[in-house]
Amino acid sequence: MKKDIHPEYQKVVFLDTSSDYKFLGGSTTSSDETIEWEDGNTYPLIRVEISSASHPFYTGKQKADKVGGRVDRFKKKYNLS
């Protein structure tokens, strides 16, 4: 591996702003914000809008638009059922 061409990989804390869920992970992204983690160390804080704690697919709150879609409008237009 060549020196000085790769970004610095470090531990960071990801904070899901919609559910206040935090987890420690690795990333090459840096931040000016820091947070003290459960182990007593301070890590950069990366704010994210969605994570597995808030995504509808993982929370089981996923909704499918089955009514009023293109197929339903086509069937209604031509009286097909």
Side-chain angles (χ1 to χ4, degrees):
M1 195 161 89
K2 292 183 179 179
K3 292 183 178 180
D4 300 330
I5 64 168
H6 300 283
E8 181 182 346
Y9 186 77
Q10 59 187 353
K11 288 185 177 182
V12 296
V13 174
F14 292 96
L15 171 65
D16 185 346
T17 55
S18 61
S19 66
D20 290 334
Y21 175 70
K22 294 181 252 182
F23 62 95
L24 182 63
S27 177
T28 57
T29 305
S30 62
S31 173
D32 293 334
E33 289 183 275
T34 58
I35 188 170
E36 185 173 331
W37 189 243
E38 300 164 353
D39 60 3
N41 294 326
T42 302
Y43 298 104
L45 177 67
I46 306 296
R47 295 181 183 271
V48 294
E49 294 179 358
I50 195 160
S51 70
S52 61
S54 60
H55 192 281
F57 179 79
Y58 297 105
T59 59
K61 296 178 182 175
Q62 187 174 14
K63 296 179 183 176
D65 292 333
K66 294 182 179 178
V67 179
R70 297 176 89 186
V71 174
D72 289 332
R73 286 186 297 201
F74 178 81
K75 288 180 178 178
K76 184 179 178 182
K77 182 176 180 179
Y78 295 105
N79 291 327
L80 303 172
S81 346

